[in-house]
Amino acid sequence: MTSLSPGKLARLGIGALVLAAAVVPAKTASAVGTRTFQLDTIDELKGGDLTGVSVDSNGNVRAGLTLGSLPVQDASSVWSSVVLPDGSVLLGTGSDGKIFKVSGGKATLVATTGAMAVSSMVVAWNGDVIAGTFPDGKLYRLPAGGGNGGPAAAFGDLPGAEDVWALAFDAKSKSLYAATGPEGKVFRVDQAGKSQVHFDSDEAHIVSLAVADDGTVYAGSNGKGLLYKITGPGRATVAYDFDADEVKAIAFGKNGSMFVVANKMGESFAPPKRNRTGPAGPQSTRPSKPGKGMLYRFGKDGIAEQLLTDNEAHYVSLAIDDAGAPYVGTGAEGRLYTVDEAHVASLVADTDERQIGAVVVSGKQRFLATTDPVVFREIKGTGGADAVWTSKVLDAGLRATFGRLAWRSEGQLELSTRSGNTETPDATWSAWSAGLGAPGDVQSPPGRYVQIRARWSRDPKAVLREVTLYFVTDNARAVITSIDATAKNSGSKSGKMGIVSSGGESPRPSSSVKLSWRVDNPDQDDLRYRVSYRLEGQNTWRSVQKPGEKLTRPELDWDTTGLPEGPYRILVEATDELSNPPDRVQKHSLESATVLVDNTPPVYKALAMQGRKLKGEVVDGLGPIARIEVSIAGSDEWRPLFPSDGVLDEPSEAFDVDIASIVPPGAHIVAVRVYDSAGNVVTRDVEAK
């Protein structure tokens, strides 16, 4: 590609021209005049800060869960939880394998394990709590009250296990089940701590467990994402093969329905490194990148129904509420989702922490336990006057003047805005404007960025369905940065340093020149172009376009038929008149470098063979001669020749070349083909005896 920036010459011949340019993408209609930010889907509405509000998949925003906040010191992550009979909560944490008790608004240390993390806990015999850890693969037993802060008592042994990933207790058979790795075994443990292998899978890790009312054990694997149905010792079938890497969690709801979380991760599962000479280091098995989370429901008939999919976050926790609705906590952005029978998904809580490691949404004690940092968040209720929805930061692209703020809602809401010129709100932004109780004009000053906020203080039961903000950006001028061209139908192949290789078929003459240009269009206005040309030495510009033609694409075919040969200039003007009223229209034009229109092929002044020496001279009206090549008639193999002076750089070139290596003994017809720099070509034959 030759860029026709000022000072650079591009020779464009009628027999040889194409313009290969990168063009500015077409704009959408929203780029014209007054524009809007319209937020009416869950993806658009959930992008900001949600404090005590929920957003469903139909684009409805309403008051959501009201959460408390109790930081848990000396813990970096939450892996498990259990609710004790007295309503207090135990949290299993990492990276030091500590167990904390939350009661009365305080979090206190009740037991230590010396492991990296307490991965699972369950209330078992007589209200005692059994805890599993990794990477030592041990079980611990805590009294019903949780302990006094000292080391937890070891409980039983799981031969070959290095990781305990999940525990489940069957109250009917008084049996404890443990999911382990790296041998992918499920152990059955009795009250005395004696264990036996209940199921030995082909997977390296079994990471989830649940026991149905009839005693059937369901287990999920990491690796192939298999859900196993275990009906007795050693008796198991694959209930479902997910398009996933792991079956992270299993829980039973009403009417025997089973909910399963599966994740498709972007990286391989890597258990923590073992350090058998000392305590485990602060390594985590949490993935560094979010995966894709999926929630399924299985009916009594075993048929799977997918309820949720999240392409931006994997799910790390699962819980069922008293009504039988499932809730999943994400491993990225610390969000809690639920879904109803109609498959309407709702984001009901958006925490400040990275992930939700544990969830309980049934019974009297309902809570979220989060990671990075570890915070115990009691679910205090739904709704409330403090519910606030804040949009994501909206980018107008340029400084904008904001007009009307409109919304659709059921009930009374109060909306306000703030604006600024930094991508992240800071002290330079304006303060939040006074609240609007009905759609009206925005009071925030002009700026590139804006946020919208809605409060539920007037009506805690109100529902926000759609928000629209009108704005007009400053009119930035579109600038033409270059006019680009390459030769068309020249039959040449461009190599490094402008070297042209021989061979190939001779091109077909063409009188069409395709022009195109690059444009910097900051505000993406619809543009109109006007293209003109003039012969160098003349002052008059003449339009390339047909009368009345409206050009809106940055390219144009220029028909040079009938034009005198010689050097030309191209002028391209860009205007945004299609998007703006006359008093705001901006224009810019750029003149190209010299474009040489050459429609006539070179002429042979002489051509003869003397033995195996080929002599001749060719002349072009504008030049220079670009290539000389020779072939035996009837052959498709063309070989390049150099002129007598060794350089192809003038309109007239002579050559005197011994071609014995090309033409074998005997009589032959030799074809000589000559190109000028515009791609025009002439071929003549001469006899070699």
Side-chain angles (χ1 to χ4, degrees):
M1 184 172 67
T2 302
S3 177
L4 304 187
S5 53
K8 192 168 184 178
L9 175 67
R11 299 180 180 276
L12 309 179
I14 284 181
L17 222 134
V18 104
L19 234 291
V23 299
V24 174
K27 285 78 63 185
T28 61
S30 62
V32 178
T34 300
R35 311 175 194 186
T36 62
F37 292 119
Q38 187 163 337
L39 311 178
D40 56 4
T41 68
I42 186 171
D43 289 335
E44 294 164 345
L45 292 165
K46 75 177 184 180
D49 181 64
L50 311 178
T51 301
V53 299
S54 70
V55 183
D56 68 31
S57 53
N58 290 332
N60 299 313
V61 185
R62 50 173 54 87
L65 299 180
T66 303
L67 302 177
S69 178
L70 176 62
V72 179
Q73 304 298 330
D74 300 324
S76 63
S77 56
V78 171
W79 288 80
S80 57
S81 70
V82 68
V83 179
L84 300 180
D86 63 0
S88 59
V89 176
L90 296 185
L91 300 178
T93 69
S95 295
D96 296 323
K98 296 177 180 178
I99 299 175
F100 293 85
K101 182 177 182 178
V102 178
S103 179
K106 296 181 180 180
T108 56
L109 178 65
V110 295
T112 60
T113 66
M116 180 183 296
V118 178
S119 53
S120 183
M121 293 188 294
V122 66
V123 176
W125 309 275
N126 304 318
D128 287 352
V129 174
I130 306 300
T133 63
F134 69 83
D136 52 3
K138 292 183 178 180
L139 296 178
Y140 295 88
R141 187 168 189 165
L142 284 72
N148 56 10
F155 176 69
D157 185 34
L158 304 175
E162 296 179 354
D163 307 293
V164 178
W165 296 118
L167 297 173
F169 184 71
D170 182 10
K172 291 183 179 180
S173 65
K174 307 296 183 181
S175 298
L176 174 72
Y177 296 94
T180 69
E183 298 177 353
K185 294 178 180 179
V186 176
F187 289 88
R188 181 175 180 176
V189 186
D190 64 19
Q191 189 169 354
K194 183 179 179 180
S195 64
Q196 60 181 1
V197 176
H198 193 62
F199 170 59
D200 187 358
S201 75
D202 293 330
E203 294 276 73
H205 296 273
I206 301 296
V207 295
S208 56
L209 283 176
V211 181
D213 290 339
D214 62 1
T216 300
V217 178
Y218 288 86
S221 75
N222 183 295
K224 297 179 181 178
L226 301 177
L227 176 66
Y228 294 101
K229 180 179 180 181
I230 308 169
T231 56
R235 298 195 303 271
T237 58
V238 173
Y240 202 80
D241 183 356
F242 292 91
D243 180 20
D245 302 309
E246 70 169 359
V247 176
K248 177 61 178 175
I250 309 168
F252 286 95
K254 286 188 171 183
N255 303 319
S257 58
M258 180 174 62
F259 296 90
V260 178
V261 161
N263 292 313
K264 193 167 188 176
M265 310 304 296
E267 57 190 47
S268 299
F269 176 75
K273 294 180 180 179
R274 273 67 182 173
N275 185 348
R276 300 189 182 281
T277 61
Q283 184 179 354
S284 173
T285 60
R286 301 298 198 200
S288 60
K289 298 179 180 179
K292 174 183 176 181
M294 295 165 277
L295 173 66
Y296 284 78
R297 178 176 58 192
F298 291 80
K300 286 186 176 181
D301 54 8
I303 296 177
E305 180 180 4
Q306 188 167 353
L307 302 179
L308 285 177
T309 300
D310 194 326
N311 292 322
E312 298 177 353
H314 55 284
Y315 299 144
V316 297
S317 51
L318 170 66
I320 313 300
D321 70 8
D322 293 322
Y327 288 73
V328 291
T330 68
E333 299 184 330
R335 290 174 169 174
L336 183 69
Y337 289 90
T338 187
V339 60
D340 64 16
E341 286 290 333
H343 287 215
V344 176
S346 297
L347 169 58
V348 295
D350 183 11
T351 69
D352 296 329
E353 295 77 57
R354 181 170 64 91
Q355 64 182 217
I356 297 177
V359 182
V360 172
V361 288
S362 60
K364 294 181 179 180
Q365 181 61 281
R366 301 184 302 151
F367 63 89
L368 314 179
T370 61
T371 288
D372 289 347
V374 175
V375 180
F376 179 82
R377 293 189 173 276
E378 180 186 359
I379 300 175
K380 296 184 175 181
T382 301
D386 295 332
V388 178
W389 168 82
T390 305
S391 75
K392 61 185 178 182
V393 174
L394 305 173
D395 182 6
L398 297 167
R399 192 183 70 158
T401 299
F402 303 104
R404 184 176 177 83
L405 177 64
W407 65 90
R408 294 191 302 110
S409 66
E410 292 180 6
Q412 291 295 311
L413 293 168
E414 180 182 277
L415 270 70
S416 56
T417 60
R418 64 175 177 177
S419 58
N421 290 303
T422 59
E423 188 173 1
T424 301
D426 58 20
T428 65
W429 275 50
S430 69
W432 286 104
S433 65
L436 294 173
D441 293 337
V442 170
Q443 300 303 312
S444 297
R448 173 172 173 173
Y449 302 96
V450 65
Q451 273 187 303
I452 306 169
R453 184 178 70 182
R455 290 184 177 274
W456 270 252
S457 54
R458 299 188 180 190
D459 183 358
K461 296 183 179 181
V463 180
L464 177 65
R465 302 193 184 282
E466 179 184 288
V467 180
T468 303
L469 174 60
Y470 296 85
F471 66 95
V472 176
T473 59
D474 292 345
N475 188 26
R477 184 171 69 158
V479 176
I480 301 172
T481 59
S482 66
I483 304 171
D484 301 322
T486 56
K488 178 182 180 182
N489 294 337
S490 65
S492 66
K493 300 175 182 178
S494 296
K496 293 182 179 179
M497 302 299 294
I499 298 173
V500 180
S501 61
S502 292
E505 295 182 358
S506 180
R508 296 179 181 180
S510 172
S511 61
S512 177
V513 173
K514 188 172 185 180
L515 305 173
S516 65
W517 45 95
R518 298 173 184 266
V519 185
D520 181 11
N521 186 12
D523 57 4
Q524 296 296 289
D525 277 342
D526 287 335
L527 300 178
R528 180 175 184 175
Y529 304 102
R530 294 178 174 88
V531 184
S532 305
Y533 69 92
R534 68 174 174 86
L535 187 65
E536 282 195 348
Q538 298 181 353
N539 297 321
T540 302
W541 289 99
R542 294 176 171 83
S543 177
V544 174
Q545 296 156 251
K546 299 176 182 178
E549 180 183 3
K550 183 170 72 173
L551 180 61
T552 58
R553 298 185 60 183
E555 59 183 33
L556 177 67
D557 290 333
W558 177 30
D559 185 3
T560 61
T561 303
L563 289 179
E565 293 184 340
Y568 284 79
R569 297 276 183 167
I570 302 297
L571 181 70
V572 180
E573 179 190 78
T575 170
D576 58 10
E577 64 192 55
L578 300 178
S579 301
N580 295 278
D583 60 340
R584 296 193 62 192
V585 170
Q586 299 273 15
K587 298 179 180 181
H588 180 260
S589 60
L590 180 68
E591 183 176 326
S592 76
T594 299
V595 178
L596 188 62
V597 174
D598 182 359
N599 305 326
T600 306
V603 175
Y604 287 90
K605 292 185 67 176
L607 183 65
M609 286 286 297
Q610 296 179 357
R612 284 299 181 264
K613 272 203 167 186
L614 176 66
K615 294 184 178 182
E617 183 179 358
V618 289
V619 178
D620 187 69
L622 295 174
I625 300 299
R627 191 164 88 239
I628 304 172
E629 54 189 18
V630 63
S631 175
I632 299 176
S635 170
D636 291 332
E637 183 177 351
W638 292 88
R639 304 287 292 277
L641 302 179
F642 276 3
S644 298
D645 62 6
V647 181
L648 292 166
D649 59 356
E650 298 182 51
S652 177
E653 296 285 2
F655 50 91
D656 186 348
V657 185
D658 187 340
I659 59 173
S661 62
I662 300 174
V663 182
H668 298 278
I669 301 297
V670 176
V672 182
R673 191 161 71 181
V674 179
Y675 292 85
D676 63 16
S677 61
N680 299 303
V681 61
V682 60
T683 304
R684 281 188 57 181
D685 297 336
V686 62
E687 186 176 0
K689 297 181 180 180

